[in-house]
Amino acid sequence: MKYIFPILLATFLLVSCNDDKKPLPVIDEDIAGRHNVAFDSLLSSYNEGLLKLNPLDATAIGDNRYNDTLPNFLSDRYKNQFQNFYLDFQRQINNYKENTMSVDQIISKRIIEWECNMKLQSLKFNTNLTPINQFSTLQLAMGQMASGKGSQPFKTTKDYRNWIKRLHNYSDWLTTVKAKMEQGVKEKYVLPTALITKLTPQLKELSESDVKKHLFYTPVLNFPETVPASDRAELTKEYDSIISTEIIPAYSKLYDYVSTDYLKAGRKSSGISEVKDGTALYNYYIKLYTTTDKTADEIHNLGLSEVKRISKAMDSIKNVVGFKGSLKAFFDEVRHKKELMPYSNADDVIAHFNSIHDKMLPQLETLFDLKPTTEFEVRRTEKFREASASAEYNPGSLDGSRPGIFYVPIPDVAAYNTFSDESLFLHEAIPGHHYQISLQQENDSLPGFRKNLWYSGYGEGWALYCESLGKELGLYEDPYQYFGMLSAEMHRAIRLVVDTGIHSKGWSREKAIQYSLDNEAESKESITAEIERYMAIPGQALSYKIGQLKILELRERAKKDLGDKFKIAEFHNQVLESGCLPLALLEEKINIWIKAND
């Protein structure tokens, strides 16, 4: 089914690459009928170039043409290819006049302008000198694929050999990682010590000397029937060879270095502003992740205001359940309440999330007209990354061969607390990331590159907005689960305070942890992992609340202006049907819809 971007009699705005707001032309009959065929060819070339430049992205969406390649993303050669690609399309895009294009094409043009500008800006910074962290970098993605449960397929002999070729390139990347980190030490551009201590156990586990116990050996232990028995012995020998002679030695050398010399050189400060050009880099990250021009100070103050507002709502739930102590004491009560930690088997946690899905299914029909066809699963996070992982959603493939997956870390099932599980499911799974991403991928009216486009302000904003839909979906009947929703919203409001505090106001890791402990009910272990996540990927955590507040603002505007004509499912259609957009364009799109239906 195709979801068509509506052509309406109004104008659009999108922040362009030079930060000016360029209004799209008023849509009249002549413009509505325009379509630049040559520009379609450019969009196709752009998408193909992106997939070649980022073959892991191609694998992730189920495009298997590049499954045997892995560029050394840290090399000067790749940096030149990256720069030339975006410079070339920045030049080419300017050759196309907007008065020859359809509205959809103009939107795509503006998006590419934004993308080229932001990618080229990223080259100003020395982020390659900290090429790995404990939370989000390539070694984690490769480990997930090596487990056989990620996006890399292991169905045929060719699939198995593709992975071997990719591993040869990966061992080169691991060697370059060490060289870049050594350079970073010389230039005092290093990770905080606290992050290095979380990174070293991951590297140690992947330095396992027994090949047959190594994570990267997993595909050999799980040959499918589609791999002929006649090929298995040779494949086993090849996997044994590359793991023992390349992968394990590369990990061992990296672990030895990171756990000794690099650890000694780790910086004591927590924020990115402490490295060279760190303040400019943080401002870049704010713009990248929120797609706005908000300043760190504006966001910090917004966070303080939201924390205050949500605290009042949480206090009311404390009173509902009859707790007589302070809100901070109630946090401790929730953290340690045995009734909220009922499981002794990790499979029961997974079953619990599936039961949440079953409970809300009838109400989804009322709130959503658009629903994806991509399959969906809940899985436990893999052991090698579980200790440092947050719950997350991994998209399905474009061809439908791989489902969307909601990963749940359960490092200690006896300590697993369920109080925020309903809001977590709404965010990471349905109707949050699974609906938004799958509908975008399935939308045949979008050019290829927009099917895989991601703006954190929109995507994470949508997912956090979905947490507010729980009562409309038949959830939050238990006051502790509603408190969990408020806690999850508080968690994102706190992010505005602590992320900006760490990276622009000189806050220490410890100060950020304490601020979180004082204002939310998450465990200290969970909060610590979260604060270290913000240290590893500055600015990303700002996107949730910024995007959520914008979507809530647009919903209230539509309800006020449309009155009885307002239909919640139609509003959700408008938000979802065009895929990921910068927030300025989303706002104009909703304004157009309101005017057309007023």
Side-chain angles (χ1 to χ4, degrees):
M1 180 176 181
K2 294 184 179 181
Y3 307 122
I4 305 302
F5 187 94
I7 301 295
L8 300 174
L9 297 176
T11 61
F12 294 90
L13 292 177
L14 175 59
V15 179
S16 70
C17 63
N18 61 5
D19 293 337
D20 293 327
K21 290 185 175 181
K22 296 180 181 179
L24 296 185
V26 175
I27 306 304
D28 57 25
E29 291 184 3
D30 290 337
I31 294 175
R34 286 177 184 159
H35 191 85
N36 190 321
V37 176
F39 187 70
D40 281 347
S41 296
L42 181 74
L43 294 180
S44 179
S45 297
Y46 180 74
N47 186 54
E48 283 297 307
L50 284 177
L51 296 176
K52 290 180 181 178
L53 196 63
N54 303 284
L56 291 178
D57 290 348
T59 300
I61 63 172
D63 184 337
N64 296 324
R65 291 175 295 166
Y66 310 108
N67 285 356
D68 61 345
T69 65
L70 182 70
N72 188 338
F73 300 109
L74 302 173
S75 68
D76 289 340
R77 180 173 180 237
Y78 183 80
K79 181 178 180 181
N80 290 335
Q81 290 175 333
F82 181 95
Q83 183 176 41
N84 290 337
F85 175 83
Y86 285 105
L87 283 172
D88 182 44
F89 276 95
Q90 191 177 61
R91 176 187 55 79
Q92 288 192 61
I93 206 82
N94 289 328
N95 293 330
Y96 291 86
K97 304 302 181 185
E98 294 184 355
N99 59 10
T100 69
M101 297 180 180
S102 69
V103 171
D104 267 335
Q105 289 180 317
I106 295 171
I107 292 168
S108 294
K109 180 176 184 284
R110 299 287 175 80
I111 290 173
I112 292 177
E113 288 175 342
W114 168 277
E115 288 292 306
C116 289
N117 183 61
M118 295 303 289
K119 298 296 186 184
L120 291 169
Q121 279 190 42
S122 72
L123 297 175
K124 298 177 182 179
F125 305 106
N126 293 324
T127 53
N128 274 357
L129 300 184
T130 51
I132 57 174
N133 60 52
Q134 86 290 359
F135 185 78
S136 65
T137 40
L138 180 60
Q139 85 283 0
L140 297 172
M142 290 296 286
Q144 195 173 17
M145 287 190 284
S147 72
K149 296 181 179 180
S151 57
Q152 185 85 17
F154 291 95
K155 297 178 181 178
T156 67
T157 299
K158 186 175 187 299
D159 287 340
Y160 273 76
R161 292 223 157 92
N162 281 342
W163 183 242
I164 290 173
K165 291 177 182 177
R166 186 164 263 180
L167 286 186
H168 282 302
N169 295 327
Y170 181 55
S171 65
D172 290 340
W173 181 84
L174 286 170
T175 300
T176 309
V177 165
K178 182 173 179 290
K180 289 292 184 181
M181 295 176 90
E182 289 171 334
Q183 183 184 346
V185 169
K186 292 177 182 176
E187 298 186 21
K188 300 188 184 306
Y189 199 115
V190 296
L191 290 175
T193 301
L195 301 192
I196 300 172
T197 61
K198 296 300 173 66
L199 178 61
T200 49
Q202 297 175 356
L203 299 176
K204 183 178 181 180
E205 183 167 341
L206 291 167
S207 300
E208 166 64 56
S209 59
D210 186 339
V211 172
K212 292 179 174 55
K213 293 181 180 178
H214 199 278
L215 176 69
F216 283 62
Y217 195 75
T218 306
V220 171
L221 302 176
N222 297 288
F223 280 121
E225 293 181 1
T226 47
V227 174
S230 58
D231 293 337
R232 296 181 188 182
E234 185 63 29
L235 287 171
T236 300
K237 187 184 301 182
E238 292 174 16
Y239 272 67
D240 191 299
S241 176
I242 192 169
I243 294 168
S244 62
T245 63
E246 295 188 36
I247 299 301
I248 292 175
Y251 268 114
S252 296
K253 290 177 183 176
L254 187 56
Y255 167 70
D256 289 344
Y257 173 68
V258 171
S259 62
T260 55
D261 293 347
Y262 195 72
L263 180 60
K264 292 175 185 176
R267 59 183 168 88
K268 305 309 176 188
S269 59
S270 300
I272 198 67
S273 61
E274 299 301 318
V275 304
K276 183 181 178 182
D277 297 326
T279 298
L281 177 58
Y282 188 52
N283 291 336
Y284 168 81
Y285 281 142
I286 290 174
K287 185 170 184 176
L288 176 70
Y289 288 120
T290 70
T291 66
T292 73
D293 292 319
K294 292 183 181 296
T295 67
D297 282 346
E298 287 175 325
I299 293 172
H300 189 83
N301 291 333
L302 174 62
L304 292 171
S305 174
E306 282 292 284
V307 167
K308 184 177 180 179
R309 178 186 65 81
I310 299 166
S311 289
K312 291 180 180 179
M314 296 173 84
D315 199 63
S316 67
I317 299 299
K318 171 183 74 75
N319 296 332
V320 166
V321 300
F323 187 81
K324 301 302 182 182
S326 67
L327 184 57
K328 190 172 180 180
F330 187 55
F331 292 157
D332 282 332
E333 165 77 5
V334 173
R335 288 183 189 114
H336 301 108
K337 193 174 180 64
K338 291 300 180 183
E339 292 85 347
L340 297 175
M341 295 179 277
Y343 300 119
S344 58
N345 188 310
D347 290 342
D348 293 334
V349 177
I350 304 303
H352 172 58
F353 279 109
N354 285 323
S355 72
I356 293 171
H357 186 199
D358 292 340
K359 184 176 181 179
M360 60 190 271
L361 275 174
Q363 288 73 35
L364 281 169
E365 296 295 327
T366 301
L367 269 64
F368 292 92
D369 290 335
L370 303 181
K371 302 179 188 68
T373 59
T374 301
E375 296 294 325
F376 168 79
E377 292 181 13
V378 185
R379 293 183 189 173
R380 182 179 181 178
T381 303
E382 302 92 342
K383 182 180 177 181
F384 82 97
R385 64 189 185 96
E386 188 170 43
S388 298
S390 300
E392 64 182 354
Y393 175 76
N394 277 16
S397 58
L398 287 178
D399 64 1
S401 62
R402 188 185 70 254
I405 302 166
F406 169 35
Y407 280 102
V408 183
I410 317 170
D412 180 1
V413 66
Y416 185 89
N417 196 310
T418 64
F419 82 98
S420 60
D421 278 1
E422 289 184 353
S423 63
L424 180 63
F425 187 85
L426 294 175
H427 181 109
E428 298 292 348
I430 295 172
H433 287 320
H434 181 64
Y435 267 32
Q436 184 266 308
I437 295 173
S438 297
L439 286 170
Q440 179 172 313
Q441 289 181 333
E442 294 170 13
N443 187 345
D444 291 334
S445 72
L446 296 179
F449 86 95
R450 283 177 62 187
K451 286 175 177 278
N452 310 309
L453 197 62
W454 177 256
Y455 292 116
S456 197
Y458 172 97
E460 298 297 359
W462 166 258
L464 182 55
Y465 162 79
C466 287
E467 295 185 32
S468 70
L469 302 177
K471 287 192 174 182
E472 295 170 86
L473 289 168
L475 303 179
Y476 301 155
E477 294 175 339
D478 180 343
Y480 283 100
Q481 288 298 322
Y482 188 71
F483 184 79
M485 183 277 288
L486 290 173
S487 297
E489 187 178 18
M490 173 65 87
H491 187 59
R492 279 44 173 254
I494 287 170
R495 285 174 170 177
L496 302 185
V497 179
V498 298
D499 196 281
T500 53
I502 291 168
H503 297 295
S504 72
K505 296 183 179 298
W507 283 29
S508 67
R509 166 183 174 272
E510 290 69 30
K511 181 175 180 178
I513 290 171
Q514 189 58 53
Y515 182 86
S516 298
L517 286 170
D518 289 343
N519 288 285
E520 65 176 327
E522 292 290 321
S523 68
K524 185 173 182 178
E525 292 76 18
S526 175
I527 285 171
T528 299
E530 284 289 299
I531 295 301
E532 290 170 349
R533 164 187 167 178
Y534 314 150
M535 291 163 62
I537 48 172
Q540 190 272 343
L542 306 176
S543 57
Y544 300 70
K545 206 72 176 70
I546 299 297
Q548 178 228 24
L549 290 173
K550 177 56 67 177
I551 295 172
L552 286 170
E553 173 194 328
L554 296 175
R555 175 171 168 167
E556 287 307 306
R557 183 186 304 168
K559 286 176 66 177
K560 179 181 177 182
D561 291 353
L562 294 179
D564 292 341
K565 296 179 182 178
F566 177 80
K567 300 291 187 293
I568 185 60
E570 180 57 25
F571 173 78
H572 290 155
N573 291 349
Q574 294 297 316
V575 175
L576 289 172
E577 66 187 354
S578 300
C580 232
L581 299 172
L583 293 178
L585 179 56
L586 175 64
E587 181 166 9
E588 283 303 310
K589 183 177 188 296
I590 298 301
N591 287 341
I592 290 164
W593 172 65
I594 292 171
K595 290 175 183 177
N597 289 276
D598 197 356

